[in-house]
Structure formats: structure tokens, C-alpha cells
Amino acid sequence: MRLVFLGPPGAGKGTQARELAREWGVPHLATGDMLREAAATGSRLGLEARRYMDQGALVPDDVIVGLMRERLARPDAARGFIVDGFPRTIAQAEALAQLLKDHGQQLDVVIYFDVSEGELLRRLTGRRVCRACQTAYHLVFAPPTRPGVCDKCGGELYQREDDGEKPVRIRLDVYARQTSPLLDYYRQRGLLATVAGEGSIDVIRQAIRQTAGG
Ligand code: AMP
């Protein structure tokens, strides 16, 4: 199964992809996580990417496509994957199709997470993320048992630089201008399926399972 999770920042793509990838035994390929890891190790690519990320802007297509080319070539991706946060532009979608074609593969379905803008703002500004395992919490809607500590691994929770109010507004605007055209792009190719992204995490997860046929 080769899936793309598509939707605005804060739609719940990472939360769902992390669990379902584990359940289905496929890798969860999240470009945002890859970039944050690269930035944390202080690599040149990571530090350069960070300049864009902290402002809420997109990292240039060639950097992201290079990253995904390497990641998709690794053996664990041969059996399938869930991609989250990529593609974010039409150019990235074209590049993904070509990368898969080079491996004799194609996407099975693109799942769009439909969430209202008010809900996105609420989720993003209250979000806290584990530095170690990337599990996401929310200060009000899904708090950890102990403040500041990850329930899953005991790691430290932090607020992403780009979850501040100003970068969040920019990210939502970037999504509307650069990423939302992918809805039509994938609809025209018969690949788009929409899931209602508001409500309980478990109910949404079940809807995704049904849509993915899993
Ligand atoms: P995310 O964790 O998916 O919200 O991504 C965080 C940030 O990483 C984004 O705001 C971008 O700066 C960068 N990023 C992640 N994925 C991509 C992508 N596919 N194309 C461009 N920039 C990306």
C-alpha cells in the first residue's frame, strides 16, 4: 500500500500516519520530521532548511525531492509507505510520480484530511511535541499525564518554533496557495479520497482504514 496523507498543517496527518504505519508494518515518511532531525544533528541541509521552516515557508522543491529520492530508495519502502507532508506543491507531486515510476510503482490513494480553519488554529497553537518520538499532544484537548513529559517515551515536550501564531498564519496561507491545488491534481487522476478530520482520533482512524481498504 502506497499512501499519501494530504491536508493543511494541524489536520492530524502525523498523528494518524504514525499509528497506522506501525499497524500496517510500513514506514512513515514525514518530510517535516526528516527536516527537523537533520536540523537537530546540525547538518548543512538541516540548518539551511531550518531558515525556511521557522518562518513557516516551504523548503525548496529540489531539496525535498532529493530527500525523498534517497528515502524511497531504501529497502523498507519497497513494500509500501505512508507519506505525510509531501508532496506540498504540484512540482513535488510530479517528481513523486516519476520517482515511483522509476521503481515500477504508483500511488494507491491520496487521503485528504478535511478540517476547518478555526479548528486548525486551535490545534496548532496548543500543540506540544515530543522531542524524542514526535508524538503530538495538545495543552487542552489531549494533554500528557505529566505536564511537559511524553506519556509514550518520557521524552521532553516542546512547542515547535513554527507553531507560534505568526508562522501558523503563514503556513496556512502557504497551504492555501501552494498545496491545496493538489486536491484537484489528485482528483483528476482518480486518486483522491476525503476523510472528515474533526472528531475523535479513533473514529478518524477507522475512517482512514476503511478508505485505504485496510
Ligand atoms: P510539517 O512537519 O509537515 O508541518 O513541516 C514543517 C515544515 O517543514 C514546513 O512548514 C516546511 O517548512 C518544511 N517542509 C516539510 N515538508 C515539506 C515539503 N514537502 N516541501 C517543502 N517544505 C516542507
Side-chain angles (χ1 to χ4, degrees):
M1 94 182 26
R2 297 185 180 88
L3 307 185
V4 166
F5 283 6
L6 179 66
K13 305 182 297 293
T15 297
Q16 298 294 356
R18 206 162 290 116
E19 277 302 310
L20 288 168
R22 194 172 304 144
E23 183 176 311
W24 295 333
V26 295
H28 167 212
L29 311 183
T31 41
D33 289 350
M34 292 179 203
L35 293 170
R36 278 184 292 277
E37 273 163 34
T41 63
S43 71
R44 209 165 57 111
L45 179 141
L47 294 179
E48 198 195 321
R50 202 169 161 173
R51 299 210 319 259
Y52 297 92
M53 296 168 76
D54 285 353
Q55 290 169 22
L58 291 187
V59 172
D61 286 337
D62 56 337
V63 175
I64 296 289
V65 170
L67 208 62
M68 282 303 285
R69 180 180 295 112
E70 277 177 31
R71 188 59 190 88
L72 285 171
R74 282 177 29 197
D76 65 341
R79 297 176 36 229
F81 49 74
I82 303 176
V83 190
D84 148 23
F86 175 89
R88 265 173 150 101
T89 62
I90 297 280
Q92 291 180 17
E94 300 277 6
L96 175 61
Q98 188 59 48
L99 287 176
L100 293 176
K101 203 167 158 206
D102 293 345
H103 291 98
Q105 300 169 351
Q106 55 188 21
L107 289 177
D108 294 316
V109 64
V110 174
I111 298 183
Y112 166 57
F113 289 56
D114 190 14
V115 179
S116 69
E117 184 163 323
E119 175 71 10
L120 295 172
L121 280 170
R122 271 193 297 280
R123 288 187 189 176
L124 287 166
T125 50
R127 176 158 76 175
R128 295 294 181 272
V129 182
C130 175
R131 258 189 219 288
C133 74
Q134 315 290 332
T135 297
Y137 296 85
H138 189 281
L139 288 179
V140 180
F141 308 134
T145 313
R146 282 174 55 206
V149 181
C150 178
D151 288 347
K152 295 229 164 104
C153 77
E156 179 205 358
L157 305 186
Y158 79 111
Q159 181 174 36
R160 279 170 46 173
E161 195 72 38
D162 60 351
D163 279 345
E165 206 174 315
K166 190 166 167 217
V168 159
R169 295 234 171 247
I170 296 173
R171 286 160 69 205
L172 291 175
D173 185 54
V174 165
Y175 171 81
R177 283 186 296 111
Q178 304 205 61
T179 307
S180 68
L182 290 176
L183 294 177
D184 271 343
Y185 176 91
Y186 284 123
R187 196 176 287 120
Q188 281 160 15
R189 284 158 181 76
L191 286 171
L192 193 77
T194 298
V195 161
E198 293 187 39
S200 105
I201 292 180
D202 288 344
V203 170
I204 298 167
R205 185 162 302 146
Q206 187 51 26
I208 299 170
R209 282 194 196 98
Q210 270 163 9
T211 305

